Amino acid sequence: MLTFHNPAHRAHAGRHEMYRGRLVDCHEVPQRAELVVDELKRRGFGQPRTAPAADMRVVESIHARPYLDFLRTAWAEWVSLDPSHAALDILPSVWPNHGLRRDVVPANFSAKVGLYAFDAGSPITAGTWDACIAGAACAIEAARQVAAGADRSALVVTRPPGHHAGRDFYGGYCFVNNTALAAQALRDAGHARVAVLDVDYHHGNGTQSIFYERADVLTVSVHGDPMTEYPFYLGHASERGAGAGEGFNLNLPLPRGTAFGPWRRALEQGLDAVARFGASALVVALGVDTYEGDPISSFRLTSADFVEVGLLLASCRLPTVIVLEGGYAVADMGVNVANVAEGFAGG
């Protein structure tokens, strides 16, 4: 298994996020990725690779250019408004909700932030753009290496995560959708049908929205029921795709407190869908926030269960790119991700 790492991720380190009316410390912290890299090296996976600069043609095929321009320039614009802003993160305070226009980009900076953000828990910092675009580069390069036959699988250890980011919006700690970029890079490399399997606790609403009207990319997600779990407004079983993509989106929501047995059965259902689709390559959005100790999630997988998760993913016998997404029990992050990698390699 090839491994890729994005050292620039350290530049994205939010100070606070908004939670239930107050600012709290961020759950999405640099140590998440660092502990994973350390544990992978300890287990003999070797020094992870870095990637050349991101191919912006691929990035712009997934994300709208005005949105990317916003991410690239947001910090400079923020600080230009007031130099004291350098000591603060960017969080939104207004949103264009029901009946309000989203087709006009406002001149006002706060309004612009709200146009693209869908929550107040995803701070933009001085290093957010650099971290995101370097992570995108890793996802694209990993997909290209797997498509070229350098290895049958690759693991991308990067942050911030990406699966909540859509074509022109961010939230859920996600700004650029690394999972979607890996899938698109595999398509560009000649794979006619690519499956995306999201096993994060939280539904990958961004990935679903990006591919919802496409028949060449199957999106499958096993996640917490959006009736009670973030991101709330997408991820229901009734969402099956639209237009050319109808029938190519499968959501498998599960209730709070789900243990490994029923979670595994849902995953096997998703794997069956991948097989029926006839995918020639697989992208896994790997969230380990299904872990029983995760502070913001409510499934009950143990560290040992993640070895079996890796084995199940390997049973597809497809060229596979695994992209790191969520997981906020920081001290156990390295063990849980490395267990998936070992299980996959053993499979």
Side-chain angles (χ1 to χ4, degrees):
M1 175 182 282
L2 303 176
T3 59
F4 288 82
H5 179 47
N6 160 27
H9 82 86
R10 303 182 189 100
H12 173 74
R15 297 169 177 89
H16 300 102
E17 60 182 87
M18 182 65 72
Y19 181 72
R20 294 183 179 173
R22 61 191 178 95
L23 291 173
V24 300
D25 292 341
C26 291
H27 290 286
E28 206 288 292
V29 295
Q31 293 94 317
R32 297 176 61 248
E34 297 300 312
L35 289 170
V36 173
V37 169
D38 290 347
E39 184 66 16
L40 289 171
K41 288 194 288 189
R42 191 186 70 80
R43 298 197 196 186
F45 281 88
Q47 182 68 31
R49 305 181 181 197
T50 56
D55 186 337
M56 293 307 295
R57 294 170 299 178
V58 182
V59 179
E60 290 176 4
S61 72
I62 292 297
H63 293 290
R65 184 176 293 182
Y67 170 64
L68 294 169
D69 289 343
F70 163 76
L71 290 179
R72 180 174 51 82
T73 62
W75 186 258
E77 185 172 354
W78 172 240
V79 175
S80 73
L81 294 172
D82 185 334
S84 70
H85 285 173
L88 305 169
D89 293 341
I90 300 171
L91 290 172
S93 57
V94 292
W95 288 270
N97 208 329
H98 306 292
L100 302 178
R101 293 183 64 175
R102 294 186 52 88
D103 60 323
V104 178
V105 178
N108 179 278
F109 182 74
S110 292
K112 197 183 302 182
V113 174
L115 180 69
Y116 294 120
F118 72 83
D119 69 18
S122 306
I124 294 177
T125 75
T128 297
W129 171 252
D130 290 341
C132 287
I133 204 63
C138 287
I140 294 167
E141 182 65 12
R144 287 175 171 173
Q145 290 292 323
V146 168
D151 201 296
R152 289 281 288 177
S153 62
L155 171 61
V156 180
V157 181
T158 189
R159 54 168 294 280
H163 72 149
H164 293 305
R167 178 167 172 75
D168 61 355
F169 61 81
Y170 71 90
Y173 312 139
C174 302
F175 303 90
V176 172
N177 195 314
N178 304 310
T179 293
L181 290 171
Q184 186 60 52
L186 288 167
R187 284 286 296 111
D188 294 344
H191 284 281
R193 289 191 160 204
V194 176
V196 174
L197 177 57
D198 193 323
V199 296
D200 192 280
Y201 180 81
H202 305 95
H203 176 253
N205 59 297
T207 310
Q208 173 174 305
S209 68
I210 287 167
F211 296 120
Y212 202 61
E213 297 185 16
R214 289 174 55 171
D216 58 332
V217 178
L218 172 73
T219 48
V220 179
S221 181
V222 181
H223 55 268
D225 190 338
M227 290 298 292
T228 59
E229 308 308 304
Y230 184 94
F232 306 116
Y233 307 111
L234 217 60
H236 298 277
S238 58
E239 298 156 12
R240 302 187 63 254
E246 185 172 356
F248 296 100
N249 187 82
L250 175 63
N251 287 327
L252 299 165
L254 296 168
R256 294 174 65 87
T258 295
F260 183 58
W263 187 92
R264 173 185 172 143
R265 289 192 289 274
L267 176 60
E268 289 172 337
Q269 186 178 343
L271 294 171
D272 287 343
V274 170
R276 291 195 305 272
F277 176 64
S280 61
L282 175 68
V283 179
V284 178
L286 177 62
V288 292
D289 45 2
T290 50
Y291 176 54
E292 61 184 354
D294 197 90
I296 61 173
S297 308
S298 300
F299 286 167
R300 294 194 285 117
L301 276 66
T302 67
S303 291
D305 291 333
F306 287 111
V307 177
E308 190 163 355
V309 172
L311 286 165
L312 288 165
L313 296 173
S315 71
C316 288
R317 301 190 180 279
L318 293 173
T320 301
V321 179
I322 301 173
V323 180
L324 184 63
E325 295 287 357
Y328 307 101
V330 176
D332 299 313
M333 188 84 182
V335 168
N336 291 340
V337 174
N339 280 358
V340 175
E342 281 201 343
F344 190 97

